[in-house]
Amino acid sequence: MSMGIPPKLQKVPSMRVRVEDTLSAHRNELVSLLSRYVEQGKSILQPHHLLDELENIIGNDEAKKSLSDGPFSEVLKSAQEAIVVPPFVAIAVRPSPGVWEYVRVNVHELSVEELTVSEYLRFKEGLVDGPSDDPYLLELDLEPFNASFPRPSRSAYIGNGVQFLNRHLSSSMFRNKESLDPLLDFLRVHRRKGRVLMLNDRIQSISRLESALAKAEDYVSKIPQDTPYSEFEYALQGMGFERGWGDTAAHVSETMHLLSDILQAPDASTLETFLSRIPMVFDVVILSVHGYFGQANVLGMPDSGGQIVYILDQVRALETEMILRIKMQGLDITPRILIVTRLIPDAGPTSCNQRLERISGCEYSHILRVPFRTNHGVLRKWISRFDVWPYLEKFTEDAASEIAAELQGIPDLIIGNYSDGNLVASLLSHKMGVTECTIAHALEKTKYPDSDIYWKKYDEKYHFSCQFTADLLAMNHSDFIITSTYQEIAGTKNTVGQYESHTAFTLPGLYRVVHGVDVFDPKFNIVSPGADETIYFSYTEKGKRLTSLHESLEKLLFDPEQNDEHIGILKDPAKPIIFSMARLDRVKNITGLVEMYSKNDKLRNLANLVVVAGYNDVKKSNDREEIAEIEKMHALIKQYNLDGQLRWISAQTNRARNGELYRYVADKRGIFVQPAFYEAFGLTVVEAMGCGLPTFATCHGGPSEIIEDGISGFNIDPYHPDKAATLMADFFQKCNEDPTYWVNISEGSLGRIRERYTWKIYSKRLMALAGVYGFWKHVSKLERLETRRYLEMFYILKFRDLVKSVPLAAEDPSD
């Protein structure tokens, strides 16, 4: 039997080679295609434009097919954009997440060249400013600082940074006994406000630690396993051990056994488990600066939506987990969590003018509010999240003093939220030397296409030059970054991730980002949130249902009175309900849902539409986007004669009632729709699914990972509204024919949430990450001091100048 000769490994041809090969083989067709691009003049062509033109090229069908099946077609399918500046076409090609190549074709000369990132961005700037002769535009390039830093090379590792980091750094730490010294040092310097934890001065070396551990393990194994630590504390102290190993003999034994395993047969997973048991995090500061941050009467107000719900639920889960861990560690320390936000003196019906507010459902967690202050005094009124930049530096200084006063020291972990909170978290972390975690929630750059290249068009209204710069600073300063989904980091095969879009871009006239963010950086970790299970539970749990609210819900949905809270009448209340709830802005696309419903007669006959969003009166809003959407809603209702089939309810802030509203819609065999053009995660999707409500949600962003299409819900494309409306109509028709179909999707939704999206899973993971990154920061060069000095210079020389262009709010501040 002969052995076959293994195939020879061949190098994958570069994008330039593929284009050149296609020019040789299909010259006529490719020239026709590229000429069609050039005919459009100076422009940015999106992926669908590039592929659509394939259908229109000159040539016979066979030639078209061979071009479509050839190497250039692969280039086009991987292309994310093409820049046309006649006679050139430059294409940004993304063969896989996080991997980019750039080619440029001269259509007149039929020449092909490969471009560097810098060359491509410079060419792209020609769309705005024309050809530039200045070779010295400022370029931000963080790649040299990261060249020697460990990072995975496969897309599958993206978002699993802590596992990769642990494996890589552990392998160097576990080479021999001497290399374990940093672990010993870490345990020996462990203190809480001067109080020694874990090890005392009796243990000065690894060999001494090994012998003391063996002695301690033997001692603990001989006493009843439920013996409280206090009863054998002095015996362990004499051997060199302090509090922190556990609250009972059993827990102490488990923790010591983990350390013994690390010393004798080390591996990364044992180290991670051990680190997650070490007492490291007692005081946490969470930054959420903009908007009205409060516990009541804030949802639906400008800039006050899902992020607030996320953080309040996060804090409740985190406090519970911290209390549990501290108890299991055998400590009597009281944890503290402070949500630091802006104090707004003119707070309306909210509590946002109170300095300190305890969080309901918590014992040791508070909202700490610090005002925006200038040389003229305190800013009294709300301002948009896009206008906060001039206030943040002074806010950081004031917040640092307030935090130190509240905690009587510095925190162990700082968590930033959104662009402004992340920047303040970076400034505080830099000042205090504390481990920093950042959470984007939403990066505006991906919400507004081409908002980088055309930043000047947006800057007066949105000040994106400040925001994108702040995002870059915070992303690169942070010790670890939490995302809710993989897509947030690196998108999909065909779409670019939120963070990935910050890898390379240009703000013409300001600076180019040549290497901004690396999605392969091990600081990225996917930790998905959940919904509050006391509020969002299955419609089938009859014993927990808030039936006392049903009368008010029926009034909310069906009362014929037209007022500020609800307009529109549902003439046939027996129909199932298509339900949606979101802020009323362009990206959330509630008006898009209304329009897709309006245009589908079959859907209108099968179901009513109920939307909870914003205000129905423009006079009540002072938000620019919301006012435009309110006007559009009224125009659609009139244009499509929707009265009788649409109910528009103003934003609802009672979460308990909202939870029961989801379940009430489920009782009527309705659905929930989340139609956003882009959604970073989709908390309302988790809420609706957690109540057992079949959910149709955007395929752009996080919901496509939450929902298993056709099993636990459905993905819809808001850019193809007709298809989305047809899918919903077909669902209702199928449910009419087979009622078990609705039940099957509902059960699939509930199962998916229980398995992946709970706050208990989230809080355990977050605490583990804080421990691991805190450890590696202490024992290695994970602090990246060179990078931070570079960022500090960029902050001082560029960001502070940009902030000066943002006008202060027009009001008479008071002292």
Side-chain angles (χ1 to χ4, degrees):
M1 179 177 162
S2 63
M3 297 291 288
I5 298 171
K8 197 172 177 182
L9 290 174
Q10 294 183 333
K11 185 181 177 184
V12 177
S14 71
M15 294 299 164
R16 180 180 63 79
V17 170
R18 292 185 201 186
V19 177
E20 287 176 338
D21 289 349
T22 308
L23 267 174
S24 300
H26 307 287
R27 193 179 191 84
N28 191 44
E29 293 77 24
L30 187 54
V31 168
S32 171
L33 176 62
L34 293 171
S35 297
R36 294 187 73 86
Y37 296 156
V38 170
E39 282 166 13
Q40 301 186 40
K42 274 190 178 186
S43 57
I44 300 177
L45 300 181
Q46 299 303 326
H48 60 277
H49 294 137
L50 297 172
L51 292 168
D52 288 350
E53 290 296 349
L54 257 180
E55 295 301 310
N56 303 321
I57 59 171
I58 300 164
N60 60 48
D61 289 342
E62 190 177 329
K64 271 191 202 180
K65 186 176 187 313
S66 60
L67 182 59
S68 297
D69 295 341
F72 189 66
S73 174
E74 290 305 307
V75 173
L76 287 186
K77 285 174 185 171
S78 302
Q80 290 303 317
E81 67 176 18
I83 307 302
V84 180
V85 179
F88 295 100
V89 179
I91 306 173
V93 186
R94 178 178 174 264
S96 62
V99 178
W100 293 81
E101 293 182 46
Y102 306 92
V103 290
R104 180 169 63 187
V105 183
N106 184 325
V107 180
H108 291 175
E109 297 179 7
L110 300 183
S111 60
V112 186
E113 59 183 322
E114 204 161 331
L115 299 179
T116 64
V117 181
S118 183
E119 289 167 340
Y120 176 80
L121 293 175
R122 186 174 178 182
F123 178 73
K124 187 175 181 178
E125 287 158 12
L127 289 174
V128 179
D129 297 331
S132 170
D133 296 324
D134 182 4
Y136 295 111
L137 183 72
L138 176 63
E139 291 190 343
L140 184 68
D141 185 358
L142 288 146
E143 182 63 20
F145 298 103
N146 298 325
S148 61
F149 198 80
R151 68 200 52 230
S153 55
R154 289 173 48 209
S155 299
Y157 281 113
I158 293 172
N160 289 311
V162 74
Q163 289 93 329
F164 172 82
L165 193 66
N166 246 348
R167 279 198 300 273
H168 182 90
L169 296 178
S170 307
S171 63
S172 60
M173 175 178 278
F174 297 147
R175 282 195 308 268
N176 52 52
K177 287 280 190 248
E178 289 72 36
S179 61
L180 284 166
D181 284 340
L183 175 60
L184 174 65
D185 293 341
F186 179 73
L187 293 173
R188 289 188 67 242
V189 300
H190 227 54
R191 280 171 171 73
R192 159 73 177 173
K193 294 183 177 175
R195 177 180 172 186
V196 177
L197 302 174
M198 303 304 291
L199 299 180
N200 60 39
D201 288 342
R202 290 175 184 272
I203 297 175
Q204 301 276 351
S205 66
I206 290 291
S207 58
R208 181 76 184 89
L209 175 60
E210 284 181 312
S211 60
L213 264 177
K215 189 176 174 186
E217 281 191 272
D218 181 59
Y219 176 86
V220 173
S221 68
K222 292 175 178 173
I223 60 176
Q225 293 300 283
D226 59 353
T227 305
Y229 183 83
S230 56
E231 293 187 17
F232 56 92
E233 178 176 3
Y234 294 112
L236 288 191
Q237 210 168 37
M239 300 177 203
F241 299 97
E242 296 291 336
R243 279 186 174 266
W245 295 89
D247 60 332
T248 63
H251 288 147
V252 169
S253 184
E254 288 167 14
T255 309
M256 287 185 165
H257 189 67
L258 284 167
L259 183 56
S260 292
D261 283 349
I262 290 167
L263 297 175
Q264 291 168 34
D267 71 78
S269 61
T270 306
L271 179 65
E272 184 174 342
T273 306
F274 174 68
L275 290 175
S276 71
R277 295 180 74 124
I278 293 180
M280 291 171 65
V281 179
F282 306 103
D283 295 326
V284 178
V285 165
I286 297 173
L287 276 302
S288 180
V289 180
H290 68 266
Y292 292 89
F293 197 106
Q295 300 180 81
N297 304 321
V298 297
L299 296 183
M301 296 187 80
D303 293 340
S304 307
Q307 182 173 313
I308 292 171
V309 175
Y310 176 109
I311 293 169
L312 289 172
D313 285 348
Q314 173 199 48
V315 166
R316 292 183 184 106
L318 207 51
E319 185 186 275
T320 300
E321 180 65 19
M322 287 169 72
I323 290 170
L324 184 68
R325 281 174 180 250
I326 290 168
K327 180 186 176 300
M328 283 187 65
Q329 289 155 355
L331 302 172
D332 57 359
I333 294 167
T334 300
R336 289 290 307 275
I337 302 176
L338 294 177
I339 300 173
V340 179
T341 187
R342 185 195 157 202
L343 185 144
I344 306 173
D346 297 342
T350 76
S351 59
C352 296
N353 54 1
Q354 294 178 22
R355 177 184 172 274
L356 198 65
E357 179 184 350
R358 191 168 71 82
I359 295 169
S360 64
C362 293
E363 289 183 71
Y364 313 114
S365 301
H366 296 79
I367 301 169
L368 174 64
R369 298 187 180 91
V370 178
F372 279 174
R373 201 185 295 273
T374 67
N375 293 335
H376 305 292
V378 169
L379 181 66
R380 299 194 60 80
K381 66 178 185 178
W382 169 88
I383 57 170
S384 164
R385 69 185 187 277
F386 298 119
D387 299 329
V388 299
W389 306 108
Y391 303 95
L392 295 184
E393 203 169 280
K394 180 69 174 129
F395 176 85
T396 302
E397 292 173 26
D398 293 344
S401 301
E402 297 277 1
I403 290 164
E406 279 299 316
L407 299 181
Q408 296 296 299
I410 61 171
D412 304 300
L413 174 67
I414 294 175
I415 303 172
N417 292 274
Y418 190 69
S419 302
D420 52 357
N422 287 335
L423 181 70
V424 174
S426 295
L427 295 172
L428 284 172
S429 166
H430 187 72
K431 183 184 180 79
M432 297 176 170
V434 173
T435 301
E436 175 193 0
C437 164
T438 54
I439 305 171
H441 295 280
L443 292 164
E444 300 294 345
K445 189 171 170 298
T446 48
K447 285 188 186 179
Y448 295 84
D450 303 324
S451 53
D452 47 7
I453 185 77
Y454 297 119
W455 68 272
K456 290 175 185 173
K457 183 175 81 175
Y458 290 93
D459 223 47
E460 185 178 351
K461 185 176 181 181
Y462 295 113
H463 310 298
F464 283 153
S465 61
C466 288
Q467 185 151 9
F468 299 168
T469 307
D471 285 332
L472 282 169
L473 289 163
M475 290 172 196
N476 284 288
H477 189 277
S478 181
D479 293 299
F480 66 102
I481 296 172
I482 280 181
T483 71
S484 300
T485 63
Y486 179 95
Q487 285 191 49
E488 257 185 271
I489 309 168
T492 64
K493 183 183 176 186
N494 300 314
T495 60
V496 179
Q498 279 198 74
Y499 281 95
E500 189 182 6
S501 74
H502 294 71
T503 302
F505 66 92
T506 181
L507 301 176
L510 281 183
Y511 59 87
R512 288 181 203 122
V513 179
V514 177
H515 289 105
V517 173
D518 183 355
V519 296
F520 290 95
D521 195 307
K523 68 171 60 180
F524 284 105
N525 291 276
I526 301 164
V527 187
S528 301
D532 187 335
E533 293 169 70
T534 63
I535 291 174
Y536 304 103
F537 52 86
S538 173
Y539 75 100
T540 59
E541 295 187 50
K542 302 297 183 187
K544 292 168 68 175
R545 293 288 299 270
L546 306 175
T547 51
S548 60
L549 296 176
H550 283 200
E551 186 179 337
S552 72
L553 288 177
E554 284 165 5
K555 189 175 180 183
L556 188 69
L557 292 166
F558 305 117
D559 188 339
E561 183 186 343
Q562 308 292 289
N563 55 34
D564 287 345
E565 189 175 24
H566 44 72
I567 60 172
I569 295 170
L570 302 179
K571 288 182 179 171
D572 185 356
K575 281 185 188 177
I577 290 170
I578 299 167
F579 178 54
S580 191
M581 180 160 52
R583 283 197 318 275
L584 194 55
D585 63 27
R586 187 189 68 81
V587 174
K588 294 295 185 186
N589 194 35
I590 292 293
T591 53
L593 171 60
V594 172
E595 192 162 10
M596 73 173 79
Y597 172 81
S598 304
K599 290 179 176 179
N600 191 303
D601 291 336
K602 181 181 175 183
L603 188 58
R604 289 176 69 165
N605 288 331
L606 285 167
N608 292 317
L609 177 61
V610 174
V611 297
V612 175
Y615 299 105
N616 59 43
D617 182 354
V618 289
K619 295 191 206 74
K620 292 209 159 202
S621 177
N622 55 5
D623 184 85
R624 297 173 283 232
E625 271 193 25
E626 186 178 50
I627 289 167
E629 292 297 298
I630 292 169
E631 290 169 345
K632 188 176 177 183
M633 280 282 280
H634 284 291
L636 288 169
I637 291 167
K638 188 175 180 182
Q639 179 184 349
Y640 292 102
N641 191 26
L642 289 172
D643 199 28
Q645 295 174 308
L646 168 72
R647 181 74 152 187
W648 178 9
I649 300 169
S650 294
Q652 299 295 300
T653 58
N654 185 328
R655 292 178 73 210
R657 190 165 80 155
N658 287 346
E660 193 60 29
L661 180 54
Y662 283 123
R663 289 184 288 274
Y664 186 90
V665 174
D667 290 337
K668 296 184 77 66
R669 292 303 187 257
I671 63 173
F672 180 76
V673 183
Q674 210 278 26
F677 287 118
Y678 183 83
E679 184 64 53
F681 178 59
L683 204 51
T684 55
V685 172
V686 173
E687 290 171 358
M689 290 172 68
C691 293
L693 190 54
T695 297
F696 292 67
T698 181
C699 63
H700 299 290
S704 66
E705 289 180 41
I706 299 170
I707 290 172
E708 302 156 295
D709 192 39
I711 300 169
S712 53
F714 301 91
N715 298 133
I716 58 171
D717 188 345
Y719 291 102
H720 293 96
D722 295 345
K723 286 183 183 175
T726 300
L727 184 68
M728 287 182 247
D730 291 347
F731 174 80
F732 283 117
Q733 185 174 340
K734 194 166 182 179
C735 291
N736 287 343
E737 294 164 2
D738 176 14
T740 62
Y741 184 59
W742 188 96
V743 174
N744 290 339
I745 298 297
S746 171
E747 288 177 351
S749 302
L750 290 164
R752 181 71 171 164
I753 297 305
R754 280 193 293 266
E755 173 192 311
R756 293 281 295 275
Y757 300 98
T758 71
W759 281 112
K760 187 171 184 179
I761 297 170
Y762 175 101
S763 57
K764 279 179 177 291
R765 191 76 189 126
L766 177 55
M767 290 298 288
L769 290 174
V772 171
Y773 281 95
F775 169 72
W776 286 121
K777 185 175 178 177
H778 179 84
V779 303
S780 72
K781 285 186 68 181
L782 208 58
E783 203 153 1
R784 309 190 196 195
L785 288 174
E786 303 92 335
T787 305
R788 292 189 170 187
R789 293 297 283 171
Y790 184 67
L791 294 172
E792 191 179 333
M793 182 173 67
F794 195 69
Y795 175 88
I796 292 166
L797 297 180
K798 181 56 69 174
F799 181 74
R800 292 177 104 193
D801 273 351
L802 291 173
V803 166
K804 289 173 187 172
S805 69
V806 182
L808 294 172
E811 70 164 19
D812 296 322
S814 68
D815 291 316

